[in-house]
Amino acid sequence: MDPRGLQIADFTYDLPDARIAQFAVEPRDAAKLLVYAQGAAPKHFQVRDIAAALEAVEFLNGGHLVLNETRVVQARLYFPRGEGQPFELFYLSPAAGSVEEAMAATGELVARCKVRFSKKWKADRVLERNGLQAERLSIDGDVSIVRFSWSTGATWSEILEERGNLPLPPYMQRAAEAADAERYQTVFARAEGSVAAPTAGLHWTSERLDEVVGLGWDLQRVKLHVGAGTFQPVSSDQMGEHPMHAEEIHVSLETIEALLDGRPIWAVGTTAARTLESVFLLGRMARAGWELPSLLPQWAAYDAELPECSRAVALEALAQNLRSRGMKGYQGQTQILIAPPYRFQMVDLLMTNFHQPQSTLLLLVAAGIGPVWKDLYAEALQKDYRFLSYGDACLFRIR
């Protein structure tokens, strides 16, 4: 089971620009919802019809609804260039330490950034705007390592909130508007750190969450701080040549123990799905007696030396490992690539949006439902579904 030989050209489709949603529908749960279970014809609902959608995939009896509670930060910072358009520094992540440590930093932070007009930024120049300074320390490919400094006593979180701009995806081709500040966040967003939204979560309202709780689903919260790499199409012909981006995850021991009851697991978004499958891999490692890594590497799921085990065994092994070390959960980074012929071990039901051609997100969907993704995407286009971050949604029965 190894996707290194996959040809990314096999995971493309024609996406007209007119089908890329530029604005979100209102209210949130008015979005269309394509529902599919293996062997059945797809059905069409709206997110507000979630009970009927669950009945269509025979998951009306409840389980665990897993939400990614990350919150998008205002990651675009602008500094005067002297002439023409300003420098744009797109904050990606801290150069060292955790995302949440970075959010609490005061006075100084060294961070990874994408820089617009990078070649115009001379080596000895310190950028400054209203007391916030930026000094470039080094360049690694297309990423700059930048030291930000300020003397106001504010946290980095407060600096971004006060001085930054919301980082809408590049395919929206517009500046963020006032409404985006609320609409490009999920209603359950709590932990600041992402530079892109977990977009499947954008369709949920408090009323819909209450409804599924009433149907027997409990809410489990994880964190995957979404990075800008989520927007990057695969540029290599074969997946073996593509470097997958790493993203920080947090999963509490309490959540791991809750998932041990064997009930169905419903992931809201590919970020929740990657987090859950990362938990399974960590459990397999714990079961095998391996030391838990701080970074799950790209090909970890396909390591032939890692013994197989069931979901229950993996979760119990991980829980026991954390308990024995007095840990309240796992915090680290995941770089895992989920692509055919990967078989999901944690996720039974996946809610997600329609993803870009030749993207790792589309590969994840293909791993879950197989080649039928092409037919479902074609039908969605034919039925005027809206695509990408502010677009409509899918509900797929994976297992």
Side-chain angles (χ1 to χ4, degrees), residues 31 102 116 122 149 157 190 227 238 252 308 313 324 329 334 338 388:
R116 190 179 182 193
K122 303 303 181 184
S149 56
S157 170
R190 295 182 181 177
Q238 285 192 324
S252 71
E308 297 285 350
V313 169
S324 69
T334 184
I338 296 177
L388 308 187

Side-chain angles (χ1 to χ4, degrees), residues 7 59 118 142:
Q7 300 288 326
F59 266 101
S118 177
D142 63 346

